[in-house]
């Protein structure tokens, strides 16, 4: 039996955008429209879009989820943040990845785990675009199993010295500050997280070439050859590196889910526009029932993905306001996992359908569906590959005692 206040909450559920949200989303929309031709050109020339940072920094949007106490922080709640990322996602997964990494994996993780001194030192410039974050967890032999990573640190003369290699790191060549996860030398437990300055001696990054998609986004290998960090650069308590990494990934997954909703929206919009004007067999293809099937399924998946996203964002907001509540953390983790999984797969399906609606005209990177098809594929791999998330979701029903691995 529901309590009276629960009935009231349920009946108050609203999908309307508030006045404040509308202002932020309006600003994001304006820049997205301005940046689209630049992103298009960069995509075809397969080069990084270096206008993303300055254009969003100028509009004070690089600190959207950060408290107003720091620099250009806007203090946006998780729903507003997600809606903004959804809008950016329509422009493509390459551009959206920049925001997911800088804001979700970087800013939000430091905001959660950082000391007051670290928040002031790292978040203030980050919100203004004066420094960009990257998140260095994956290594050549540690992907889905980050506990198997091999990067190490040792204490020397009151400082930490880090050695190892990180791979597939988004913004790895662009970032000023990189979150690096490492074990104490000679041990396989007690992982720690550090915020490493990429201008430190021994730090080298190299962009990965010939990717399937995301040509406008920097993905790099990072080499750490005795890179020094100070005691004040350790993020979170000693030995809690894995918890820092997992909470970062939860932030990242919400952001990926939001971006994928944007991709589905763009695929649907493009398909509707094209199907209305492309004439075959004497009428617009929009009038052919099998083409309508593609549009209908995209539109249903869009709504389902958006509902899962909103539930995840609402739940995460509640957790942000009550961060020691363990039950709320688990609820958020489950909701974010489902939203990310569904939206990632639905975005790939939408891109595939949109290419089909476009026919041969969808088989060129000059069309948006082709770019989405190549780019959104990664969302079924990064921030938790499909198979990992499927098992995570299953354990929510079966119970953790059935975990296939630890
Ligand atoms: C473009 C791009 C950007 C990225 N950005 C970042 C970044 O910024 N920071 C970062 O740290 N990482 C980043 N990554 C890495 C990404 O998070 C990893 O690729 C991901 O965690 C999967 O690891 P893997 O690629 O090593 O695959 P593997 O872990 O080797 O997995 C290969 C396959 O085996 C499956 N598999 C693995 N273990 C199991 C299991 N126990 N049960 C069932 N199936 C399993 C996987 O699901 C997958 O299908 C990025 C990757 C890409 C491609």
């Amino acid at each position: 039996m529901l309590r009276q206040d629960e009935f009231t909450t349920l009946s108050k559920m609203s999908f309307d955008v508030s006045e404040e949200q509308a202002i932020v989303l309006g600003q994001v929309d304006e820049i997205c429209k301005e940046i689209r031709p630049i992103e298009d050109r960069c995509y075809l020339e397969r080069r990084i879009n270096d206008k993303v940072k300055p254009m969003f920094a100028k509009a004070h949007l690089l600190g959207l989820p950060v408290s107003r106490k720091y620099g250009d922080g806007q203090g946006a709640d998780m729903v507003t943040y997600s809606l903004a990322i959804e809008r950016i996602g329509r422009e493509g997964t390459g551009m959206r990845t920049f925001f997911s990494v800088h804001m979700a994996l970087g800013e939000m993780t430091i905001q959660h785990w950082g000391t007051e001194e670290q928040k002031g030192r790292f978040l203030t410039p980050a919100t203004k675009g004066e420094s960009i974050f990257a998140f260095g967890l994956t290594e050549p032999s540690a992907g889905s199993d980050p506990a198997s990573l091999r990067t190490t640190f040792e204490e020397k003369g009151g400082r930490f010295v880090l050695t190892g290699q990180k791979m597939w790191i988004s913004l790895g060549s662009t970032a000023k500050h990189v979150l690096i996860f490492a074990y104490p030398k000679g041990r396989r437990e007690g992982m720690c997280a550090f915020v490493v300055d990429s201008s430190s001696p021994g730090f080298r990054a190299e962009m990965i070439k010939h990717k399937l998609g995301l040509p406008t986004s920097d993905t790099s290998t990072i080499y750490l050859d005795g890179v020094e960090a100070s005691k004040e650069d350790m993020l979170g308590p000693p030995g809690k590196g894995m918890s820092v990494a997992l909470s970062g990934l939860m932030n990242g997954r919400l952001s990926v889910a939001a971006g994928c909703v944007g991709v589905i929206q763009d695929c649907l919009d493009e398909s509707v526009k094209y199907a209305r004007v492309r004439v075959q067999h004497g009428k617009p293809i929009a009038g052919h029932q099998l083409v309508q099937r593609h549009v209908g399924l995209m539109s249903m998946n869009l709504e389902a993905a958006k509902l899962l996203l909103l539930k995840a964002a609402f739940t995460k907001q509640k957790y942000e306001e009550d961060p020691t509540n363990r039950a709320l953390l688990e609820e958020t983790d489950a909701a974010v996992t489902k939203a990310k999984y569904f939206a990632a797969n639905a975005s790939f399906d939408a891109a595939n359908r949109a290419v089909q609606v476009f026919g041969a005209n969808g088989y060129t990177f000059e069309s948006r569906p082709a770019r989405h098809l190549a780019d959104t594929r990664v969302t079924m791999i990064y921030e938790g590959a499909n198979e990992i998330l499927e098992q995570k979701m299953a354990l929510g029903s079966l119970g953790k005692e059935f975990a296939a691995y630890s």
Side-chain angles (χ1 to χ4, degrees):
M1 183 81 167
L2 285 171
R3 295 192 317 265
Q4 186 60 43
D5 60 330
E6 286 174 327
F7 275 122
T8 316
T9 310
L10 280 176
S11 60
K12 271 191 187 154
M13 195 160 85
S14 158
F15 298 106
D16 296 336
V17 169
S18 72
E19 233 172 86
E20 237 184 349
Q21 285 173 329
I23 293 170
V24 175
L25 296 177
Q27 284 175 315
V28 175
D29 184 57
E30 217 171 280
I31 307 176
C32 283
K33 284 181 183 145
E34 215 180 305
I35 211 166
R36 183 172 282 197
I38 306 171
E39 179 72 8
D40 284 352
R41 212 167 39 246
C42 291
Y43 199 103
L44 294 176
E45 292 168 7
R46 298 192 85 76
R47 63 183 167 84
I48 308 300
N49 184 351
D50 59 8
K51 293 287 181 285
V52 175
K53 181 179 91 172
M55 285 172 75
F56 279 87
K58 199 169 155 209
H60 311 289
L61 286 168
L62 286 183
L64 205 51
V66 174
S67 157
R68 291 192 172 131
K69 280 199 301 191
Y70 311 105
D72 270 356
Q74 301 296 319
D77 65 281
M78 288 296 103
V79 174
T80 309
Y81 169 77
S82 300
L83 294 175
I85 298 294
E86 175 195 331
R87 174 61 191 89
I88 293 169
R90 278 163 55 189
E91 301 311 308
T93 303
M95 202 172 116
R96 193 270 306 152
T97 294
F98 176 89
F99 296 90
S100 293
V101 174
H102 179 61
M103 288 183 185
L105 293 175
E107 289 178 341
M108 282 158 69
T109 308
I110 288 178
Q111 181 154 263
H112 185 90
W113 290 94
T115 61
E116 210 38 56
E117 183 277 326
Q118 287 174 328
K119 290 187 208 176
R121 184 157 52 102
F122 295 124
L123 291 179
T124 303
T127 59
K128 298 177 184 169
E130 290 162 6
S131 92
I132 294 299
F133 289 119
F135 186 86
L137 182 63
T138 305
E139 300 186 357
S141 59
S144 302
D145 178 16
S148 66
L149 63 80
R150 293 181 183 172
T151 297
T152 62
F153 70 90
E154 56 183 324
E155 266 188 86
K156 270 188 192 165
R159 289 177 74 76
F160 297 110
V161 180
L162 290 97
T163 302
Q165 186 183 337
K166 298 288 173 181
M167 206 175 171
W168 298 107
I169 308 305
S170 304
L171 313 186
S173 296
T174 313
K176 162 97 174 125
H177 291 117
V178 186
L179 275 67
I180 294 287
F181 299 87
Y183 283 119
K185 195 170 179 188
R187 286 177 52 198
R188 306 296 303 152
E189 54 184 9
M191 188 189 292
C192 292
F194 302 89
V195 184
V196 167
D197 190 322
S198 64
S199 63
S200 308
F203 185 105
R204 186 166 66 84
E206 209 172 74
M207 271 196 215
I208 296 173
K209 294 189 185 130
H210 314 305
K211 286 178 300 188
L212 174 65
L214 307 187
T216 63
S217 169
D218 151 25
T219 317
S220 296
T221 303
I222 290 176
Y223 301 92
L224 303 154
D225 183 9
V227 174
E228 287 193 15
S230 71
K231 296 237 161 169
E232 292 73 38
D233 295 334
M234 185 186 280
L235 185 64
K240 285 285 178 195
M242 187 56 97
S243 303
V244 176
L246 294 179
S247 88
L249 289 174
M250 190 170 77
N251 301 334
R253 278 175 197 149
L254 180 69
S255 192
V256 173
C260 289
V261 172
V263 170
I264 306 171
Q265 179 77 64
D266 199 47
C267 290
L268 177 62
D269 293 348
E270 288 290 310
S271 299
V272 166
K273 213 164 43 177
Y274 186 84
R276 280 181 171 152
V277 296
R278 173 72 175 171
V279 174
Q280 287 295 288
H281 300 282
K283 60 178 177 182
I285 59 169
H288 294 305
Q289 289 166 332
L290 292 179
V291 172
Q292 291 175 1
R293 179 166 181 262
H294 293 305
V295 173
L297 291 177
M298 271 188 252
S299 123
M300 174 191 70
N301 278 340
L302 174 63
E303 251 180 81
K306 180 113 181 204
L307 285 172
L308 284 169
L309 171 67
L310 287 175
K311 182 181 175 198
F314 274 117
T315 316
K316 184 149 195 316
Q317 182 57 31
K318 275 203 289 180
Y319 167 63
E320 296 285 315
E321 289 162 14
D322 188 5
T324 55
N325 187 331
R326 188 83 211 157
L328 211 41
L329 169 61
E330 289 196 10
E331 205 186 312
T332 305
D333 196 29
V336 169
T337 299
K338 287 175 184 165
K340 189 269 188 181
Y341 180 90
F342 187 86
N345 288 274
S347 71
F348 186 68
D349 181 75
N352 196 24
R353 289 183 189 284
V355 168
Q356 199 64 18
V357 170
F358 272 58
N361 287 330
Y363 201 70
T364 158
F365 284 130
E366 297 211 6
S367 79
R368 301 183 65 72
R371 292 182 212 163
H372 285 311
L373 186 69
D375 294 349
T376 201
R377 183 65 183 81
V378 77
T379 63
M380 293 145 95
I381 299 172
Y382 68 16
E383 313 271 343
N386 266 359
E387 294 75 7
I388 301 302
L389 300 189
E390 280 161 6
Q391 292 174 80
K392 207 166 152 57
M393 291 187 285
L395 295 188
S397 299
L398 293 169
K400 284 183 181 156
E401 65 273 27
F402 287 99
Y405 59 89
S406 56

